[in-house]
Amino acid sequence: MSAEQASTTSLRESGRMCSSCMSLIALGDWPGGERQCSRCARPKSVWLRFKYEHGDWYVEFLDPNWMMVGRKRRFDHADTIRDMISRTPTRLDLAARQALDSALQNGEGGVKLEQTGEQYAKLKH
C-alpha cells in the first residue's frame, strides 16, 4: 500500500475524512470510526421503478435526473420490493400505499424513496 493510500485509509477510519466522497471533516467530538460528511449523510431521493416480466420482478433506481443508479436488480416476489421500501426512511401515507399495491397488481409502477447517505452509497456499488 502506498503512503498516499495509507494516509487516506487512516483518515477515513479515524473519522477525519468522509467515507463516501473523501472530503475532509473537522474532527470535533468524534470518538473515532468511519463517518460521512453532512452532504453525504443527508437523505437522498431516488425513484424506485419496478416491472413484472417473465415470472420475475425487475427493479431499477433512478436519481432526480432520471439517470440509473447502480444496476438493475431481479427478484422472485413482490414482497421483496415492499421489504426494500420499508427499510428506507420513506413513510408512505394511505394513498401512496394503495397506489403501490395497485401498481404491484398491475405489474408495473414506481415509488419515490428517501434513502440515507449510506444506503445511497451501497446502491451505487
Side-chain angles (χ1 to χ4, degrees), residues 49-64:
R49 215 166 51 178
F50 53 86
K51 187 171 189 170
Y52 186 74
E53 287 182 341
H54 309 293
D56 291 320
W57 288 93
Y58 292 91
V59 175
E60 61 187 2
F61 294 90
L62 306 171
D63 68 7

Side-chain angles (χ1 to χ4, degrees), residues 23-56:
S23 63
L24 294 176
I25 305 171
L27 196 53
D29 268 347
W30 186 253
E34 289 190 13
R35 66 178 175 163
Q36 293 182 325
C37 65
S38 59
R39 187 180 69 227
C40 294
R42 186 175 343 150
K44 312 266 190 221
S45 293
V46 293
W47 186 257
L48 179 144
R49 215 166 51 178
F50 53 86
K51 187 171 189 170
Y52 186 74
E53 287 182 341
H54 309 293
D56 291 320

